[in-house]
Amino acid sequence: MTGRYRFDWRRGLMGPLFLLALWCNAGTAAAAAAAAEARPTQAAPPVEAFFRQPDIERAELSPSGRWLAVITQAPDKHNALMVFDLRQPGGVTQAARFDDLDIGHFEWVNDNRLVFSLVDLDEGRGDRYLAPGLLSVQRDGSQLRLLVKVKSEFFSGITRIGGRDPLDADHRLLHVPAGGGDDVIVGESTYSNLGEPETVLAKRLNVVTGISTNLSRGAPPHVRRWLFDASGEPRAATTMHAGRTQVFWRKPGQEAWARLADFESLKEDWWPSFVDNEGRLWVTSVQQPQGLDVLTRFDFAAGSPEAEPMVSTPGFDFRGSLRAETKGSRALGLWVDTDAVTTVWFDARLKALQANMDKQLPGRINWLSCRRCDHPDMTVLVHSWSDRDPGQLWIYRADTQALEPVGKMRKDIDPRTMATKDFERIRARDGLTLPLWITRPAGMKPGEARPAVVLVHGGPWLRGGHWRWDAMTQFLASRGYVVIEPEFRGSTGFGLAHFKAGWRQWGQAMQDDVADALGWAVKQGHVDPRRVCIAGASYGGYSALMGLVRHPDLYRCGVAWVAATDMALLFESSWASDLSEENRRYTMPILMGDPVADAALFAANSPVTQAARIKAPVLLAVGALDQRVPIEHGKRLRAAMRAAGQEPDWVAYEHEGHGWYRPETKIDFAKRVERFLSIHLR
C-alpha cells in the first residue's frame, strides 16, 4: 500500500518554494509489523468484542495541555466524560455522566470548561429531528448548564443560565474559536412548513452568560455550510437552492457578502475548504484530465482559484486540512488522506517527533496533537492505529521525553489476531481503473483460497474504505472470510471521471465493477469462487440484491440491510422519507435517472421488480424507523420474493432507523450474519 503526496508551497505558507514527494508505505510497514506479531491462531473473538461500545471513544487535550478529556465506557450501560490531570498522578474527575443517555461529542472551550452533546442509544436513528442539545460543564463536573434543549424530560432540572431559557433544539455546535474565550458558534437549522431544510443561521453563544448574538445578519438565504476565521467570525458561506450552489465571502470588518461563484448542481469547479490563521480562503479545485481535486488558495483579484495547486495527491482527490495547535492558530502541518492518513509537518520539531513516534510505534498511523507546541514543556496526545488495531492512546511530554500509555480504544481486541487490509487498483472490464480494498484473515497462507464476502459500501456517492480497523470487516475476517470492498464507479475520492462514470449506472456498470473486483480476487488465488456471498447496507444492500439478479453464478447468498429495493420509490415524497425535494428534483435525476422518463430503466434495475430472478438465499434486515430508505422498501421486496417462492430470512428492528445504532442490535445482527454465512458458505 503506497500513497503519493506532492506539495508545492509557493506563496508564503512555508516561505521559499519547495517540492516534496512523499511515499507513505503504511501497508508495507503494517505487513512487516503483522509478521513480527504473528502467533498461532486462537479462537475467534466473540461478537460482542467487535460491536459493543468502545472502551475509549474520543480524547482531547485542553488548550494548555495539562488536562486530558476522555469519553470512556462506564461500568454500566452508559459512557462518561472524564478529565485527567496530566501533572498530578491520580488526578481524575468525572465531568459528566447520565443514567439514561450517552455523551455524544465534546470540545474544550477553554482550560476550565467543556461543551458536549448527547445521544440516546435506546432511541435509534429513526427520528429526523433528533436533538443532541448542547451542555457546558466545568472540568471538575460543576456548573453543568443546558445551552441547547435536549429532547428529554430528564433535563428539566438542569441549571438555566442567568434565568435564561436554553436555545431551541434545532441548534447544533458548528465551531469553537481559538483564543480560550467563553464563546462557541452554533447553527440554527430552519425548515419550511413542509419540513424541508431551508438555511442554517450562525450564532455566537457565550457558555457562561447564555447570551447569543446573530452572526448571519446580511448573509444570503439558504446557507448550508459556514467557514469561520480564527476569531469565530463567519467568512465564507455556501448556499444550495433550486439546483444551484453559490459561494459567498465576507471580508473582515465588513457587513456585505460578495458572491464568488454560482454553479449548477454537481458541476462545481471548486469547493471552499477552510480559512487559515491569516484569513486566507483555501479551496479544493478540480484539475484535469482525471478531474482530481487539488488544494489551492483562492485568488480574489482573479475571482478564481490559483492555477497552480499547492497540494496534489495523484490518484486521489485531496482530502485533508491544516494541522494547528487549536482551530485558527498557526499552521504546523497538513494532513492528507489517500490510501492512508499522513501528516506532513512544517514545524521541524514536530517533524522530528513524528519520525520518533513512527520508529517507536512502527507499521501504524501515529496522529499527533500538541499543546504549547513552541515550548519546552510541550504535551502531545498520540493516537495510534492500524488496519489491525482499533487504536491506542499515548501521552508524550517533551520536558521528560516520556511516552506514557493512556489506554486502548477496545481492550478486548488483540491486533495479533486481526486481519490485514490492503489497497489495490485493477482494471474493470471496460478499462476503467477500479480501486478496491481486500482484507485477508489472520493466518491465511499464500496461494490459499478462502470463502469470501463481497462487502459493498453505501452512499453510493462516497468513499467506502480507509486503512483502519473496521468492525464489520474484521468480524467477517475473524470468521475466516476474505472481504472484498470495491470502490466502484460513482464512488467519490478518486477523481471526477470516476465519479461521473457511475451516473445513471445503478445495477449496470456499477454492478459490473463489483463483479470484476471479485473476479480479480479469484484470479489472484485469494478466493474460492464456489463460496462467495455479497453483502451491504443502504445502496450496498441494493447492490447485494442486484448482484444476485445480474450475476447469479457468482454468489451463493446475499445479505442486505436497510436496502433500497425500488428506485422509483426513492423519488416519492412522503412523511416517512427524509430525502429533500432539493435532492429529488435536482441531483438524483442526474445521478440515477428520471423516474418518469426512465421508468423502464428503473424497472429493469430495481430488485423489487426483478425479485423472481433472485434464486439464492437472502438475509433481509430493515429498521422500522428508517427515514432514508423507509421500511416499505423491505416489505415490498419481501412480498415479491414470497410471491416468487423465495422467502427471505427477515428481521425488522423496531427501534432502529437507517443503520444500526444500538449495541444490542449490532450484536444481534452480526450473530444472524454469522449463522447465515456458516450455512450457505460451507
Side-chain angles (χ1 to χ4, degrees):
M1 181 188 306
T2 57
R4 188 175 183 180
Y5 315 87
R6 183 178 293 117
F7 301 88
D8 186 358
W9 305 102
R10 294 176 182 267
R11 293 165 293 280
L13 183 62
M14 283 295 294
L17 162 68
F18 72 97
L19 292 171
L20 170 63
L22 172 67
W23 288 85
C24 174
N25 297 306
T28 304
E37 291 181 339
R39 68 177 186 179
T41 303
Q42 296 184 346
V47 173
E48 290 78 5
F50 296 90
F51 296 103
R52 68 173 180 82
Q53 292 298 97
D55 297 291
I56 297 176
E57 296 182 42
R58 184 170 180 267
E60 185 179 344
L61 289 167
S62 70
S64 71
R66 174 166 178 173
W67 288 277
L68 177 69
V70 178
I71 297 179
T72 183
Q73 196 64 23
D76 62 0
K77 181 178 180 180
H78 297 283
N79 64 20
L81 178 60
M82 310 296 293
V83 176
F84 296 83
D85 188 341
L86 300 179
R87 298 292 176 179
Q88 180 180 338
V92 56
T93 58
Q94 179 176 281
R97 180 187 167 279
F98 303 96
D99 292 334
D100 55 355
L101 294 169
D102 283 279
I103 311 296
H105 177 80
F106 75 85
E107 296 280 352
W108 287 95
V109 180
N110 51 52
D111 238 29
N112 297 312
R113 188 172 288 276
L114 304 99
V115 291
F116 62 92
S117 60
L118 294 165
V119 293
D120 186 351
L121 294 180
D122 291 326
E123 188 171 336
R125 283 183 168 172
D127 189 344
R128 175 179 179 180
Y129 302 108
L130 281 175
L134 188 68
L135 295 91
S136 70
V137 67
Q138 292 279 87
R139 64 170 187 267
D140 62 2
S142 64
Q143 298 183 29
L144 180 65
R145 292 169 172 171
L146 184 62
L147 303 172
V148 174
K149 291 179 181 177
V150 179
K151 195 179 68 176
S152 173
E153 294 181 359
F154 173 77
F155 291 94
S156 59
I158 287 184
T159 305
R160 294 190 301 172
I161 301 175
R164 293 184 176 84
D165 289 328
L167 297 175
D168 290 337
D170 285 328
H171 291 76
R172 303 287 189 276
L173 180 67
L174 298 181
H175 180 76
V176 178
D182 293 321
D183 291 347
V184 298
I185 311 300
V186 297
E188 179 186 9
S189 298
T190 66
Y191 301 90
S192 69
N193 293 334
L194 298 177
E196 289 291 312
E198 288 191 331
T199 194
V200 177
L201 302 174
K203 300 178 181 179
R204 184 181 294 271
L205 174 64
N206 187 288
V207 301
V208 175
T209 66
I211 296 174
S212 64
T213 55
N214 183 15
L215 297 177
S216 302
R217 188 173 294 108
H222 309 294
V223 175
R224 301 297 179 87
R225 181 171 178 260
W226 297 89
L227 292 181
F228 303 92
D229 63 17
S231 67
E233 288 299 313
R235 298 292 297 279
T238 304
T239 70
M240 297 180 186
H241 181 63
R244 304 202 69 82
T245 298
Q246 296 184 325
V247 182
F248 294 83
W249 176 259
R250 188 176 72 174
K251 294 181 179 180
Q254 295 190 4
E255 292 291 330
W257 288 82
R259 189 173 68 187
L260 301 182
D262 184 355
F263 303 114
E264 186 179 341
S265 293
L266 299 176
K267 294 184 179 180
E268 295 88 355
D269 292 330
W270 58 270
W271 190 259
S273 186
F274 54 86
V275 177
D276 67 17
N277 62 305
E278 296 182 23
R280 297 173 296 193
L281 177 63
W282 291 73
V283 303
T284 53
S285 178
V286 178
Q287 187 178 59
Q288 299 303 331
Q290 291 179 293
L292 290 168
D293 286 349
V294 299
L295 181 69
T296 189
R297 291 202 302 251
F298 191 82
D299 183 342
F300 288 94
S304 62
E306 295 177 346
E308 288 295 320
M310 301 292 257
V311 182
S312 62
T313 50
F316 298 87
D317 287 323
F318 172 82
R319 295 292 183 267
S321 188
L322 292 178
R323 298 291 310 279
E325 183 171 344
T326 56
K327 295 181 179 68
S329 60
R330 179 177 68 89
L332 301 171
L334 180 98
W335 72 269
V336 290
D337 185 8
T338 57
D339 57 345
V341 173
T342 293
T343 301
V344 178
W345 295 106
F346 314 146
D347 184 273
R349 188 184 185 198
L350 288 169
K351 183 178 181 180
L353 179 60
Q354 182 76 60
N356 182 24
M357 292 298 102
D358 291 345
K359 183 177 180 179
Q360 293 193 55
L361 303 169
R364 308 168 66 85
I365 304 300
N366 300 306
W367 179 273
L368 312 182
S369 300
C370 66
R371 298 293 185 268
R372 292 180 59 81
C373 308
D374 296 328
H375 295 74
D377 62 346
M378 173 179 67
T379 302
V380 182
L381 175 65
V382 182
H383 181 193
S384 180
W385 74 88
S386 75
D387 55 341
R388 306 177 75 193
D389 189 339
Q392 302 179 38
L393 297 176
W394 306 76
I395 290 292
Y396 172 81
R397 292 190 179 89
D399 51 1
T400 64
Q401 296 189 5
L403 182 63
E404 302 173 358
V406 174
K408 297 181 178 181
M409 313 303 277
R410 290 183 176 271
K411 61 185 180 183
D412 47 3
I413 291 292
D414 184 348
R416 294 173 294 182
T417 67
M418 294 290 103
T420 58
K421 185 173 188 175
D422 289 301
F423 179 77
E424 304 282 354
R425 292 184 191 268
I426 68 171
R427 289 289 179 183
R429 63 189 65 185
D430 63 355
L432 183 79
T433 299
L434 177 61
L436 64 84
W437 303 86
I438 182 167
T439 301
R440 301 173 181 88
M444 186 172 170
K445 300 175 182 178
E448 180 184 3
R450 293 279 190 98
V453 175
V454 179
L455 189 60
V456 188
H457 72 69
W461 307 292
L462 50 75
R463 171 174 163 171
H466 296 270
W467 195 76
R468 63 189 181 209
W469 189 90
D470 175 78
M472 180 57 77
T473 303
Q474 288 290 346
F475 168 68
L476 293 170
S478 75
R479 271 51 186 172
Y481 304 109
V482 173
V483 183
I484 304 156
E485 299 174 87
E487 299 283 4
F488 47 83
R489 68 192 69 200
S491 302
T492 60
F494 304 96
L496 184 62
H498 190 77
F499 172 45
K500 293 183 72 172
W503 291 10
R504 297 171 58 87
Q505 290 298 315
W506 279 45
Q508 302 170 85
M510 292 168 75
Q511 200 64 48
D512 290 340
D513 287 348
V514 176
D516 291 346
L518 172 60
W520 170 85
V522 170
K523 288 181 180 178
Q524 297 297 310
H526 304 312
V527 171
D528 179 352
R530 299 165 300 175
R531 295 189 292 167
V532 180
C533 188
I534 185 170
S538 192
Y539 172 84
Y542 163 89
S543 181
L545 296 166
M546 284 304 298
L548 302 181
V549 172
R550 283 283 310 277
H551 305 110
D553 295 337
L554 297 183
Y555 309 110
R556 290 267 295 272
C557 57
V559 180
W561 62 107
V562 296
T565 70
D566 187 335
M567 293 176 66
L569 184 59
L570 290 171
F571 285 79
E572 293 185 10
S573 299
S574 167
W575 63 269
S577 173
D578 67 358
L579 284 170
S580 69
E581 284 302 307
E582 182 79 15
N583 282 329
R584 288 193 180 94
R585 293 181 61 185
Y586 299 108
T587 60
M588 289 169 59
I590 297 173
L591 296 171
M592 295 176 63
D594 184 275
V596 176
D598 297 312
L601 177 72
F602 281 25
N605 294 285
S606 289
V608 72
T609 53
Q610 301 297 322
R613 297 170 62 186
I614 299 176
K615 304 300 183 182
V618 173
L619 172 57
L620 190 62
V622 297
L625 304 178
D626 194 343
Q627 291 187 304
R628 180 55 47 87
V629 179
I631 192 174
E632 185 65 19
H633 282 263
K635 288 181 175 180
R636 289 187 183 186
L637 180 64
R638 185 189 189 192
M641 291 184 65
R642 181 180 289 164
Q646 182 74 342
E647 182 79 21
D649 287 4
W650 169 269
V651 56
Y653 292 108
E654 180 182 357
H655 297 288
E656 296 289 0
H658 193 61
W660 314 144
Y661 198 45
R662 308 168 80 199
E664 52 265 42
T665 303
K666 297 177 184 178
I667 292 168
D668 177 79
F669 180 68
K671 289 180 177 179
R672 291 173 185 266
V673 171
E674 182 176 20
R675 288 193 297 268
F676 183 81
L677 295 178
S678 68
I679 293 171
H680 299 293
L681 294 185
R682 286 181 294 192

mmCIF file of all heavy atoms in Angstrom, residues 165-200:
data_model
loop_
_atom_site.group_PDB
_atom_site.id
_atom_site.type_symbol
_atom_site.label_atom_id
_atom_site.label_comp_id
_atom_site.label_asym_id
_atom_site.label_seq_id
_atom_site.Cartn_x
_atom_site.Cartn_y
_atom_site.Cartn_z
ATOM 1 N N ASP A 165 -33.759 30.805 29.236
ATOM 2 C CA ASP A 165 -34.082 29.501 28.684
ATOM 3 C C ASP A 165 -33.010 29.096 27.688
ATOM 4 O O ASP A 165 -32.426 29.949 27.006
ATOM 5 C CB ASP A 165 -35.446 29.530 27.982
ATOM 6 C CG ASP A 165 -36.598 29.643 28.967
ATOM 7 O OD1 ASP A 165 -36.457 29.113 30.086
ATOM 8 O OD2 ASP A 165 -37.614 30.267 28.612
ATOM 9 N N PRO A 166 -32.737 27.811 27.565
ATOM 10 C CA PRO A 166 -31.771 27.368 26.564
ATOM 11 C C PRO A 166 -32.311 27.603 25.157
ATOM 12 O O PRO A 166 -33.511 27.798 24.951
ATOM 13 C CB PRO A 166 -31.615 25.871 26.862
ATOM 14 C CG PRO A 166 -32.883 25.497 27.560
ATOM 15 C CD PRO A 166 -33.290 26.697 28.349
ATOM 16 N N LEU A 167 -31.424 27.592 24.194
ATOM 17 C CA LEU A 167 -31.830 27.732 22.799
ATOM 18 C C LEU A 167 -32.642 26.522 22.365
ATOM 19 O O LEU A 167 -32.543 25.435 22.946
ATOM 20 C CB LEU A 167 -30.596 27.869 21.904
ATOM 21 C CG LEU A 167 -29.713 29.105 22.146
ATOM 22 C CD1 LEU A 167 -28.468 29.043 21.276
ATOM 23 C CD2 LEU A 167 -30.491 30.390 21.873
ATOM 24 N N ASP A 168 -33.450 26.700 21.327
ATOM 25 C CA ASP A 168 -34.279 25.606 20.829
ATOM 26 C C ASP A 168 -33.426 24.440 20.351
ATOM 27 O O ASP A 168 -32.253 24.590 19.999
ATOM 28 C CB ASP A 168 -35.179 26.094 19.695
ATOM 29 C CG ASP A 168 -36.280 27.030 20.195
ATOM 30 O OD1 ASP A 168 -36.601 26.952 21.394
ATOM 31 O OD2 ASP A 168 -36.791 27.832 19.384
ATOM 32 N N ALA A 169 -34.060 23.278 20.265
ATOM 33 C CA ALA A 169 -33.343 22.036 19.968
ATOM 34 C C ALA A 169 -32.787 21.964 18.557
ATOM 35 O O ALA A 169 -31.977 21.081 18.263
ATOM 36 C CB ALA A 169 -34.274 20.844 20.211
ATOM 37 N N ASP A 170 -33.179 22.864 17.656
ATOM 38 C CA ASP A 170 -32.675 22.835 16.285
ATOM 39 C C ASP A 170 -31.291 23.449 16.143
ATOM 40 O O ASP A 170 -30.793 23.593 15.027
ATOM 41 C CB ASP A 170 -33.647 23.561 15.347
ATOM 42 C CG ASP A 170 -34.881 22.732 15.055
ATOM 43 O OD1 ASP A 170 -34.757 21.490 15.023
ATOM 44 O OD2 ASP A 170 -35.962 23.310 14.870
ATOM 45 N N HIS A 171 -30.645 23.796 17.245
ATOM 46 C CA HIS A 171 -29.304 24.358 17.207
ATOM 47 C C HIS A 171 -28.261 23.247 17.329
ATOM 48 O O HIS A 171 -28.457 22.272 18.048
ATOM 49 C CB HIS A 171 -29.097 25.366 18.335
ATOM 50 C CG HIS A 171 -29.881 26.632 18.180
ATOM 51 N ND1 HIS A 171 -31.242 26.697 18.430
ATOM 52 C CD2 HIS A 171 -29.499 27.885 17.809
ATOM 53 C CE1 HIS A 171 -31.666 27.942 18.218
ATOM 54 N NE2 HIS A 171 -30.633 28.674 17.842
ATOM 55 N N ARG A 172 -27.135 23.415 16.637
ATOM 56 C CA ARG A 172 -26.019 22.477 16.667
ATOM 57 C C ARG A 172 -24.717 23.246 16.819
ATOM 58 O O ARG A 172 -24.582 24.366 16.330
ATOM 59 C CB ARG A 172 -25.934 21.652 15.373
ATOM 60 C CG ARG A 172 -27.171 20.858 15.018
ATOM 61 C CD ARG A 172 -27.356 19.653 15.928
ATOM 62 N NE ARG A 172 -28.419 18.774 15.445
ATOM 63 C CZ ARG A 172 -29.711 18.943 15.695
ATOM 64 N NH1 ARG A 172 -30.099 19.995 16.415
ATOM 65 N NH2 ARG A 172 -30.619 18.089 15.249
ATOM 66 N N LEU A 173 -23.747 22.623 17.475
ATOM 67 C CA LEU A 173 -22.415 23.220 17.579
ATOM 68 C C LEU A 173 -21.740 23.210 16.210
ATOM 69 O O LEU A 173 -21.668 22.172 15.548
ATOM 70 C CB LEU A 173 -21.567 22.431 18.584
ATOM 71 C CG LEU A 173 -20.140 22.942 18.809
ATOM 72 C CD1 LEU A 173 -20.171 24.310 19.499
ATOM 73 C CD2 LEU A 173 -19.334 21.944 19.642
ATOM 74 N N LEU A 174 -21.240 24.375 15.775
ATOM 75 C CA LEU A 174 -20.547 24.482 14.497
ATOM 76 C C LEU A 174 -19.045 24.666 14.644
ATOM 77 O O LEU A 174 -18.264 24.139 13.853
ATOM 78 C CB LEU A 174 -21.102 25.666 13.683
ATOM 79 C CG LEU A 174 -22.560 25.635 13.263
ATOM 80 C CD1 LEU A 174 -22.891 26.891 12.456
ATOM 81 C CD2 LEU A 174 -22.892 24.384 12.471
ATOM 82 N N HIS A 175 -18.615 25.411 15.685
ATOM 83 C CA HIS A 175 -17.225 25.848 15.710
ATOM 84 C C HIS A 175 -16.884 26.346 17.111
ATOM 85 O O HIS A 175 -17.730 26.919 17.801
ATOM 86 C CB HIS A 175 -17.049 26.984 14.687
ATOM 87 C CG HIS A 175 -15.671 27.550 14.602
ATOM 88 N ND1 HIS A 175 -14.638 26.897 13.972
ATOM 89 C CD2 HIS A 175 -15.147 28.718 15.067
ATOM 90 C CE1 HIS A 175 -13.546 27.635 14.036
ATOM 91 N NE2 HIS A 175 -13.831 28.743 14.694
ATOM 92 N N VAL A 176 -15.629 26.106 17.533
ATOM 93 C CA VAL A 176 -15.109 26.684 18.771
ATOM 94 C C VAL A 176 -13.945 27.591 18.391
ATOM 95 O O VAL A 176 -12.921 27.110 17.893
ATOM 96 C CB VAL A 176 -14.640 25.596 19.756
ATOM 97 C CG1 VAL A 176 -14.067 26.243 21.017
ATOM 98 C CG2 VAL A 176 -15.789 24.663 20.120
ATOM 99 N N PRO A 177 -14.065 28.899 18.590
ATOM 100 C CA PRO A 177 -12.992 29.817 18.186
ATOM 101 C C PRO A 177 -11.717 29.579 18.978
ATOM 102 O O PRO A 177 -11.733 29.057 20.101
ATOM 103 C CB PRO A 177 -13.584 31.207 18.489
ATOM 104 C CG PRO A 177 -15.057 30.998 18.578
ATOM 105 C CD PRO A 177 -15.234 29.613 19.118
ATOM 106 N N ALA A 178 -10.600 29.982 18.379
ATOM 107 C CA ALA A 178 -9.323 29.936 19.079
ATOM 108 C C ALA A 178 -9.273 31.058 20.112
ATOM 109 O O ALA A 178 -10.054 32.003 20.068
ATOM 110 C CB ALA A 178 -8.177 30.083 18.070
ATOM 111 N N GLY A 179 -8.341 30.937 21.042
ATOM 112 C CA GLY A 179 -8.110 32.024 21.988
ATOM 113 C C GLY A 179 -8.541 31.742 23.404
ATOM 114 O O GLY A 179 -8.241 32.530 24.309
ATOM 115 N N GLY A 180 -9.278 30.654 23.640
ATOM 116 C CA GLY A 180 -9.622 30.290 25.007
ATOM 117 C C GLY A 180 -10.656 31.169 25.668
ATOM 118 O O GLY A 180 -10.661 31.300 26.899
ATOM 119 N N GLY A 181 -11.545 31.795 24.894
ATOM 120 C CA GLY A 181 -12.607 32.599 25.490
ATOM 121 C C GLY A 181 -13.759 31.744 25.970
ATOM 122 O O GLY A 181 -13.619 30.530 26.201
ATOM 123 N N ASP A 182 -14.928 32.360 26.109
ATOM 124 C CA ASP A 182 -16.108 31.652 26.605
ATOM 125 C C ASP A 182 -17.168 31.468 25.523
ATOM 126 O O ASP A 182 -18.301 31.116 25.838
ATOM 127 C CB ASP A 182 -16.732 32.427 27.781
ATOM 128 C CG ASP A 182 -15.834 32.448 29.011
ATOM 129 O OD1 ASP A 182 -15.209 31.411 29.281
ATOM 130 O OD2 ASP A 182 -15.758 33.503 29.672
ATOM 131 N N ASP A 183 -16.817 31.714 24.281
ATOM 132 C CA ASP A 183 -17.806 31.654 23.209
ATOM 133 C C ASP A 183 -17.652 30.396 22.359
ATOM 134 O O ASP A 183 -16.542 29.888 22.160
ATOM 135 C CB ASP A 183 -17.677 32.872 22.288
ATOM 136 C CG ASP A 183 -18.096 34.164 22.963
ATOM 137 O OD1 ASP A 183 -18.716 34.089 24.042
ATOM 138 O OD2 ASP A 183 -17.799 35.238 22.405
ATOM 139 N N VAL A 184 -18.787 29.921 21.847
ATOM 140 C CA VAL A 184 -18.807 28.900 20.802
ATOM 141 C C VAL A 184 -19.735 29.406 19.706
ATOM 142 O O VAL A 184 -20.513 30.341 19.911
ATOM 143 C CB VAL A 184 -19.288 27.537 21.336
ATOM 144 C CG1 VAL A 184 -18.349 27.008 22.396
ATOM 145 C CG2 VAL A 184 -20.721 27.618 21.868
ATOM 146 N N ILE A 185 -19.649 28.784 18.538
ATOM 147 C CA ILE A 185 -20.525 29.134 17.431
ATOM 148 C C ILE A 185 -21.505 27.992 17.224
ATOM 149 O O ILE A 185 -21.098 26.833 17.098
ATOM 150 C CB ILE A 185 -19.748 29.384 16.128
ATOM 151 C CG1 ILE A 185 -18.574 30.351 16.378
ATOM 152 C CG2 ILE A 185 -20.678 29.922 15.058
ATOM 153 C CD1 ILE A 185 -18.989 31.710 16.890
ATOM 154 N N VAL A 186 -22.792 28.316 17.213
ATOM 155 C CA VAL A 186 -23.827 27.314 16.972
ATOM 156 C C VAL A 186 -24.599 27.703 15.718
ATOM 157 O O VAL A 186 -24.594 28.857 15.289
ATOM 158 C CB VAL A 186 -24.791 27.183 18.169
ATOM 159 C CG1 VAL A 186 -24.056 26.690 19.413
ATOM 160 C CG2 VAL A 186 -25.499 28.498 18.449
ATOM 161 N N GLY A 187 -25.235 26.715 15.126
ATOM 162 C CA GLY A 187 -26.055 26.953 13.950
ATOM 163 C C GLY A 187 -27.478 26.516 14.196
ATOM 164 O O GLY A 187 -27.712 25.419 14.719
ATOM 165 N N GLU A 188 -28.437 27.360 13.855
ATOM 166 C CA GLU A 188 -29.854 27.016 13.984
ATOM 167 C C GLU A 188 -30.381 26.593 12.617
ATOM 168 O O GLU A 188 -30.373 27.365 11.659
ATOM 169 C CB GLU A 188 -30.659 28.206 14.491
ATOM 170 C CG GLU A 188 -32.144 27.885 14.622
ATOM 171 C CD GLU A 188 -32.994 29.087 14.989
ATOM 172 O OE1 GLU A 188 -32.456 30.222 14.969
ATOM 173 O OE2 GLU A 188 -34.196 28.896 15.278
ATOM 174 N N SER A 189 -30.842 25.360 12.515
ATOM 175 C CA SER A 189 -31.432 24.867 11.271
ATOM 176 C C SER A 189 -32.886 25.279 11.205
ATOM 177 O O SER A 189 -33.646 25.057 12.165
ATOM 178 C CB SER A 189 -31.318 23.339 11.199
ATOM 179 O OG SER A 189 -29.969 22.929 11.197
ATOM 180 N N THR A 190 -33.273 25.891 10.107
ATOM 181 C CA THR A 190 -34.666 26.283 9.922
ATOM 182 C C THR A 190 -35.282 25.430 8.818
ATOM 183 O O THR A 190 -34.584 24.970 7.910
ATOM 184 C CB THR A 190 -34.790 27.770 9.557
ATOM 185 O OG1 THR A 190 -34.193 27.988 8.267
ATOM 186 C CG2 THR A 190 -34.091 28.638 10.593
ATOM 187 N N TYR A 191 -36.613 25.245 8.910
ATOM 188 C CA TYR A 191 -37.317 24.362 7.991
ATOM 189 C C TYR A 191 -38.562 25.052 7.462
ATOM 190 O O TYR A 191 -39.129 25.937 8.111
ATOM 191 C CB TYR A 191 -37.704 23.052 8.694
ATOM 192 C CG TYR A 191 -36.528 22.282 9.234
ATOM 193 C CD1 TYR A 191 -36.060 22.506 10.532
ATOM 194 C CD2 TYR A 191 -35.867 21.340 8.455
ATOM 195 C CE1 TYR A 191 -34.971 21.812 11.031
ATOM 196 C CE2 TYR A 191 -34.783 20.633 8.946
ATOM 197 C CZ TYR A 191 -34.333 20.875 10.232
ATOM 198 O OH TYR A 191 -33.257 20.192 10.721
ATOM 199 N N SER A 192 -38.985 24.613 6.286
ATOM 200 C CA SER A 192 -40.220 25.131 5.699
ATOM 201 C C SER A 192 -41.421 24.495 6.406
ATOM 202 O O SER A 192 -41.269 23.602 7.249
ATOM 203 C CB SER A 192 -40.272 24.804 4.207
ATOM 204 O OG SER A 192 -40.443 23.396 4.015
ATOM 205 N N ASN A 193 -42.618 24.944 6.036
ATOM 206 C CA ASN A 193 -43.830 24.364 6.612
ATOM 207 C C ASN A 193 -43.975 22.887 6.280
ATOM 208 O O ASN A 193 -44.670 22.149 6.978
ATOM 209 C CB ASN A 193 -45.064 25.129 6.125
ATOM 210 C CG ASN A 193 -45.112 26.545 6.662
ATOM 211 O OD1 ASN A 193 -44.556 26.831 7.723
ATOM 212 N ND2 ASN A 193 -45.764 27.443 5.929
ATOM 213 N N LEU A 194 -43.320 22.453 5.212
ATOM 214 C CA LEU A 194 -43.368 21.049 4.809
ATOM 215 C C LEU A 194 -42.225 20.241 5.409
ATOM 216 O O LEU A 194 -42.060 19.062 5.095
ATOM 217 C CB LEU A 194 -43.323 20.944 3.279
ATOM 218 C CG LEU A 194 -44.486 21.601 2.532
ATOM 219 C CD1 LEU A 194 -44.267 21.486 1.025
ATOM 220 C CD2 LEU A 194 -45.812 20.961 2.939
ATOM 221 N N GLY A 195 -41.446 20.880 6.280
ATOM 222 C CA GLY A 195 -40.343 20.174 6.919
ATOM 223 C C GLY A 195 -39.075 20.113 6.097
ATOM 224 O O GLY A 195 -38.148 19.379 6.438
ATOM 225 N N GLU A 196 -39.016 20.895 5.001
ATOM 226 C CA GLU A 196 -37.826 20.887 4.167
ATOM 227 C C GLU A 196 -36.767 21.823 4.769
ATOM 228 O O GLU A 196 -37.081 22.929 5.221
ATOM 229 C CB GLU A 196 -38.167 21.368 2.755
ATOM 230 C CG GLU A 196 -38.987 20.390 1.944
ATOM 231 C CD GLU A 196 -38.184 19.163 1.576
ATOM 232 O OE1 GLU A 196 -37.043 19.295 1.098
ATOM 233 O OE2 GLU A 196 -38.712 18.052 1.782
ATOM 234 N N PRO A 197 -35.487 21.413 4.791
ATOM 235 C CA PRO A 197 -34.445 22.301 5.307
ATOM 236 C C PRO A 197 -34.312 23.551 4.458
ATOM 237 O O PRO A 197 -34.350 23.479 3.222
ATOM 238 C CB PRO A 197 -33.179 21.429 5.229
ATOM 239 C CG PRO A 197 -33.485 20.374 4.224
ATOM 240 C CD PRO A 197 -34.951 20.121 4.325
ATOM 241 N N GLU A 198 -34.173 24.703 5.129
ATOM 242 C CA GLU A 198 -34.079 25.965 4.394
ATOM 243 C C GLU A 198 -32.719 26.626 4.551
ATOM 244 O O GLU A 198 -32.085 26.981 3.571
ATOM 245 C CB GLU A 198 -35.184 26.928 4.856
ATOM 246 C CG GLU A 198 -36.572 26.525 4.386
ATOM 247 C CD GLU A 198 -37.598 27.612 4.628
ATOM 248 O OE1 GLU A 198 -37.428 28.393 5.592
ATOM 249 O OE2 GLU A 198 -38.565 27.699 3.856
ATOM 250 N N THR A 199 -32.266 26.812 5.777
ATOM 251 C CA THR A 199 -30.994 27.501 5.984
ATOM 252 C C THR A 199 -30.455 27.167 7.364
ATOM 253 O O THR A 199 -31.175 26.646 8.231
ATOM 254 C CB THR A 199 -31.165 29.023 5.833
ATOM 255 O OG1 THR A 199 -29.878 29.643 5.717
ATOM 256 C CG2 THR A 199 -31.893 29.611 7.023
ATOM 257 N N VAL A 200 -29.165 27.474 7.568
ATOM 258 C CA VAL A 200 -28.520 27.358 8.871
ATOM 259 C C VAL A 200 -28.078 28.753 9.278
ATOM 260 O O VAL A 200 -27.292 29.396 8.568
ATOM 261 C CB VAL A 200 -27.314 26.401 8.829
ATOM 262 C CG1 VAL A 200 -26.624 26.369 10.192
ATOM 263 C CG2 VAL A 200 -27.748 24.996 8.424
#
